[in-house]
Each structure stands twice: as structure tokens, then as C-alpha cells.
Amino acid sequence: MTPSPPARAPHDPPAPPVRASGPSAAAPAADRTARPVGADAPTGRRRAAGNRGSAARPPLVLTVPALVAAVLAVLPLGYLAVRALERGPAHAWRIVADERTALLLGRSLGLAAAVVAACLVLGVSLAWLTVRTDLPGARAWSVAATLPLAVPSYVAAFAWLSAAPRLAGFTGSALALTLVSYPYVYLPVAAALRGTDPAQEEVSRSLGHGALRTFLRVTLPQLRPAAAGGGLLVALYVLSDFGAVSLMRYDTFTRGIYLSYQASFDRTPAAALSAVLVLMTVALVWGESRTRGRAGHARTGRGTARPAAPAPLGRLRGPALAWCAAVAAAAVAFPLATLGYWLTVGTSRTWDVDTLTGTALATLGVAAAGAALTTLLALPVGVVAARYLGRTAHLLEQAAYAGHALPGITVALSLVFFAVRYAHPVYQEVPLLVCAYAVLFLPVAVAAVRAAVLQAPPVLEDVARSLGRSPLRTLREVTVPLASPGIAAGAALTFVVCMKELPATLLLRPTGMDTLATRLWTETGSGAYAAAAPYAAALILLAALPSYLLGRHRA
């Protein structure tokens, strides 16, 4: 790679106009050309306004590895197309039109609808209580409302199933999934409440409308986009979940795909069911974007730069506290208490310290490898997405997000298909499992890298290039060091989600190797709750440290 040409000298003609706003865009050409070499290169100037990227084509040192990441991310989609149609469209249609497929469709959509409805009630009510009222200890309740994000769905299902086996089925699945996913609604709604102009609500109250009518007629419409976005995340989470529904023995698409894969050597039924699940995901995203509408609720001026006055709860303070305490107890305290009970029961009879230690080390090893590969693949994609605006950059970023719409079991099936046909030595080996983690969680790492690079001043990269540094050396010596805290945070988050991943690990782990998630799933499936508890506790403890460090970084 030859060094890039030096920056434009003062006597060169001015740069062509670019899309920008503010004083810099309106500056005369003489002012723009009076800068010293390298002090404010045109590319850096253009990108510095809002950290927008350059319209130039990204260099090959970034494009080639980003293309490798994109191909790996879209590989499952290609597998679905090839495998589902392998025996002809008629055979695939017979599977899709089968009565069992319709049953799985109804069960999956019914479960998603019930969980989304419950999460909307929990998320909106808790957000309003902790942000807009004089609830005692509002900050502590706000923290408690976000803690369920750290509890895997299968751990919550294990806790409830071990305490009340009759909950198995739809009720238990809906309960467990609701309690671990309602923060997806709570967080955006609480953020929207903090940023909403309180003047409209005050006008409504001054016109004689009560608190309830003001909330329903004024506040709630402004929260609809945030609530709809959170509800969409919950629906996607429910449709892709495998752990909770498997432990609760409730057949949805993910469990149906897994059982179809295990029951037959013919992979076409599993691929056809996976394709239907992907289409359901795409339809949900499209439907949410259509129902969101174009109506906005932003202020056109500076407005009142003050928080809303807390609404007095009065006689409702006691019920409000009881409601917050009940949700926190069901979502956090109860699973922890259940684990404590089974740990006490099984201490002297079922604990196998050697097996637990080996499983924990295996979990740490594959999760660390998955986080490292995912971050490495995400680095060029995130830099391209942050620094360039062309069609190539857009396509690479969108391709990297393809795995976000795919459940883990679909990604696992695609990699099994690829390994058996084209790379048999890695079949049921650690590298294949690590690749599955990279496909599944590449969007998490790309988002972190992109955000970190956007916060780094692009003018420093332009100075390095003007001094003769190659794109690779600029990336290594300037971009990565500046963005390293955010990249490390993304790697920590990827490490945590890799540890908790279940369906892909079940299908792709090497023979004889278990992770904490798969061991928990196996022991719970046989009803050995005391034997499963140490693995659940170890999983939570191992995930706690990187989660704590991640929280400190973002604080």
C-alpha cells in the first residue's frame, strides 16, 4: 500500500463544496485555503462537522476484512435459500403449509403477543413511576428495573419451573420471558419521559383535565414511538428465544426447529421452518415501521429546559411502592432466592467441583475466543461505517447486521451445513462454535466500534495521512488507540452474551464439551434442579464482573 498523497497545499484550488451546516460551511474560499498543511485538511474538516464520514471509497486495508465479516454474517441467509429449496419449491411449500407449521406459527405469535402486552404494562408503568412521580427511592427502583437484563431467560425459567412445575407450558414461558425482557420497554420509555417537554402536560392540567386523562391524552401519545420500539425488541427476543421455551416444554418455532434437526437427517424441514421464522421477523420490523407513522413530538424551539415537576402520588404511594417491589421481587429476588435454595440443598450431594470448574473454564475459553474474533471482524466494519458515507460503506454495515434478525439455532444450522460440505475438519470443533458467536453478535461489536470511532477526532487521522502514514499504520497508531476504551467495552459486552448463548452452543459444541449454559439446560431437562443450580450461579457470577466493568465505563 503506497502512502497517500499529502494534504492540499495552501496554493491549491479550494475543495469542492460539501454538505455541511454552520459557520464553516459558509466560510469564504480564501479562509479555507489559508490553513497550514495538515492542520485542517479538507477531508478532516468535512468529517469533523458532526463527525460525519467521507464520501471517498474506503481503502482496501479496511474494505477486504470488512467484506470477510459481511460474507460471514450473510452466510446463514444463503444457507436458508439453498437448503429450503434443495428438494424443490413444492417440497418446501408442503412443509410450510403443514398443519404443525401453522400450530407453531400460532403458538409463537401468541406467546410474543402476550409477552409484549405484559412488557408494555410493566415497562410504561415503572417508567412513569420512577421518572415522573414523587415515588420514594425512585433512583433505586430505576436500577432494580434494569437488573433483569443480566438474567438469562433459561435461568429465569429454571427458577420458576423448579419452584412450581405446574407452570410448564405457555404460562411459565410467558412469565419467564416477560420478567427478563420488560427492561427493553422500560429503558426507552424512561428516556422519552425525561426528554419530553412538560409544558403540554401542564397546559392539559390547567384546562381541568385530571392526571389520568392527561397521561392518556397527552403523555402516552408522545411515548408511542419509544414503547413501540421497545415492544419490537421484546417480540424479536421472544421469537428467537430457545432456552425458556425448551425448559418449559412449550413448542414454538425455535424448539420445533431444534427437534426437527435432532429427529431426522433431512435438514430441509428445519431450514424451511427457519425461513418462516426469518420472514416473521422481517414482517414484524416492517409492521413496526409502518405503525410508527411520521408524526413527531419534538420541540421546534429550545422550549423549557427544565425537568417536569414530579406528580404527587398521594394515597397511591403505597400501591405504587408495592407494585415496584412486586416486580423487582418476581424478576430479580425470586430467581436469586431459588438458586440459593437449590445450592443449599445440593451442596453435600450433587456438587461436582471438578466438573463445575472444567465447565466454567470451557465457557470462559470459548466466550473469550468468540469475543476476540467478533471484535476483530467488527473493527474494520465499524471504522468504515463511522468514517465513510458511500454505498460500499452502507452495504458493508447493513450486511454485518444480518445476524441480528436470525435466531441462534438458524445460524448453527447454516454453519453445520457449511462445515459438513466444505470444511469437515472443523465440524463440531471450537472454531466453528466461535464463528457462530461472531455471526450472532457481530452487530453488538460493530455498534460499539462505530460509536467509539465517531467520538475520536478524525482530524488526527488526516494529520497522520498528511505525514505519509499508510491507512493500515494510521489505523494501528491513531484510530484504534483513540477508540480503544469503547472497543474494549464492546468486547466485554460481546464476552457476556457469548457466555449466555444456548441454542448455537448446543448444536456446535465439540463432543464431550459443555458450557455452563448447556450444562444447566441438560440438568434442568432431567429435573435435577439441585445439580443445575451451581451452573446457573456460576454463569451469573462470571457475567457479573465484565458487566460491572462495562457499567463503570458507561457511567
Side-chain angles (χ1 to χ4, degrees):
M1 182 67 67
T2 59
S4 61
R8 176 169 51 84
H11 59 271
D12 288 340
V18 296
R19 291 178 294 176
S21 60
S24 61
D31 180 70
R32 290 198 301 268
T33 57
R35 304 281 183 176
V37 176
D40 197 4
T43 304
R45 185 182 190 91
R46 180 169 61 242
R47 291 181 299 196
N51 275 351
R52 297 296 295 169
S54 168
R57 182 172 299 178
L60 289 178
V61 72
L62 291 174
T63 304
V64 172
L67 184 61
V68 172
V71 170
L72 182 63
V74 300
L75 183 64
L77 295 177
Y79 158 79
L80 289 180
V82 172
R83 191 56 137 170
L85 300 176
E86 189 175 34
R87 298 178 60 181
H91 181 69
W93 175 250
R94 283 195 296 270
I95 296 172
V96 173
D98 186 72
E99 182 179 353
R100 175 167 173 76
T101 304
L103 177 62
L104 293 176
L105 178 64
R107 284 171 168 255
S108 298
L109 291 179
L111 180 62
V115 173
V116 168
C119 287
L120 288 174
V121 173
L122 292 177
V124 174
S125 63
L126 290 175
W128 185 74
L129 287 172
T130 56
V131 175
R132 284 298 184 86
T133 69
D134 60 349
L135 181 74
R139 179 170 297 183
W141 292 120
S142 178
V143 172
T146 63
L147 288 179
L149 286 176
V151 181
S153 64
Y154 48 85
V155 172
F158 156 74
W160 287 98
L161 187 64
S162 62
R166 293 184 179 181
L167 286 176
F170 176 85
T171 302
S173 300
L175 178 63
L177 289 170
T178 297
L179 293 176
V180 300
S181 56
Y182 79 82
Y184 291 118
V185 174
Y186 170 81
L187 290 172
V189 171
L193 281 171
R194 294 187 186 99
T196 301
D197 188 353
Q200 299 181 41
E201 301 170 23
E202 293 168 357
V203 170
S204 175
R205 296 295 297 271
S206 69
L207 294 176
H209 299 312
L212 180 59
R213 187 174 182 183
T214 297
F215 176 77
L216 296 176
R217 298 288 299 273
V218 179
T219 308
L220 196 57
Q222 298 183 73
L223 301 179
R224 189 181 70 173
L232 174 64
L233 291 177
V234 171
L236 296 179
Y237 182 85
V238 173
L239 289 178
S240 64
D241 178 77
F242 173 78
V245 295
S246 294
L247 294 182
M248 290 291 180
R249 300 294 188 268
Y250 186 72
D251 287 338
T252 60
F253 262 103
T254 51
R255 189 164 188 259
I257 293 168
Y258 179 78
L259 294 177
S260 176
Y261 171 81
Q262 295 285 75
S264 173
F265 288 103
D266 184 8
R267 304 298 184 231
T268 303
L273 292 176
S274 298
V276 175
L277 183 57
V278 171
L279 290 177
M280 288 170 57
T281 300
V282 173
L284 277 176
V285 175
W286 178 83
E288 190 274 337
S289 65
R290 294 286 294 178
T291 58
R292 188 188 308 152
R294 296 187 177 182
H297 300 283
R299 298 193 299 264
T300 57
R302 294 184 63 85
T304 54
R306 57 179 177 80
L313 289 172
R315 290 180 297 178
L316 296 178
R317 180 171 298 180
L321 286 172
W323 173 247
C324 294
V327 175
V332 179
F334 180 79
L336 294 179
T338 303
L339 286 180
Y341 169 77
W342 287 112
L343 286 172
T344 303
V345 170
T347 297
S348 60
R349 293 180 299 168
T350 58
W351 278 50
D352 187 338
V353 177
D354 292 338
T355 302
L356 178 62
T357 303
T359 304
L361 292 176
T363 302
L364 292 173
V366 294
L373 177 62
T374 306
T375 305
L376 186 64
L377 292 174
L379 183 60
V381 180
V383 173
V384 168
R387 291 293 190 246
Y388 299 92
L389 292 176
R391 179 177 299 178
T392 300
H394 178 73
L395 291 177
L396 289 174
E397 183 182 13
Q398 293 302 312
Y401 280 88
H404 187 67
L406 297 173
I409 194 167
T410 300
V411 172
L413 288 175
S414 67
L415 292 181
V416 167
F417 173 81
F418 174 79
V420 168
R421 295 203 171 194
Y422 307 108
H424 196 272
V426 300
Y427 177 64
Q428 284 194 326
E429 297 293 339
V430 170
L432 195 64
L433 177 59
V434 171
C435 287
Y437 291 158
V439 174
L440 285 169
F441 307 121
L442 186 61
V444 176
V446 167
V449 172
R450 182 179 183 274
V453 173
L454 282 174
Q455 292 178 349
V459 67
L460 299 180
E461 300 168 8
D462 294 324
V463 171
R465 296 296 303 278
S466 71
L467 295 176
R469 299 293 191 271
S470 67
L472 178 60
R473 191 172 177 184
T474 301
L475 177 69
R476 185 178 66 248
E477 296 181 356
V478 179
T479 308
V480 171
L482 288 173
S484 58
I487 296 174
L493 180 59
T494 306
F495 176 76
V496 172
V497 294
C498 286
M499 281 201 300
K500 298 192 297 181
E501 205 287 326
L502 177 61
T505 310
L506 279 173
L507 294 182
L508 298 176
R509 72 189 191 277
T511 303
M513 190 197 87
D514 273 316
T515 66
L516 294 172
T518 60
R519 189 73 180 185
L520 169 64
W521 185 82
T522 302
E523 298 291 356
T524 307
S526 62
Y529 300 124
Y535 300 99
L539 182 62
I540 293 176
L541 289 175
L542 290 178
L545 179 59
S547 299
Y548 169 73
L549 296 177
L550 184 63
R552 287 194 60 184
H553 167 75
R554 293 187 173 183

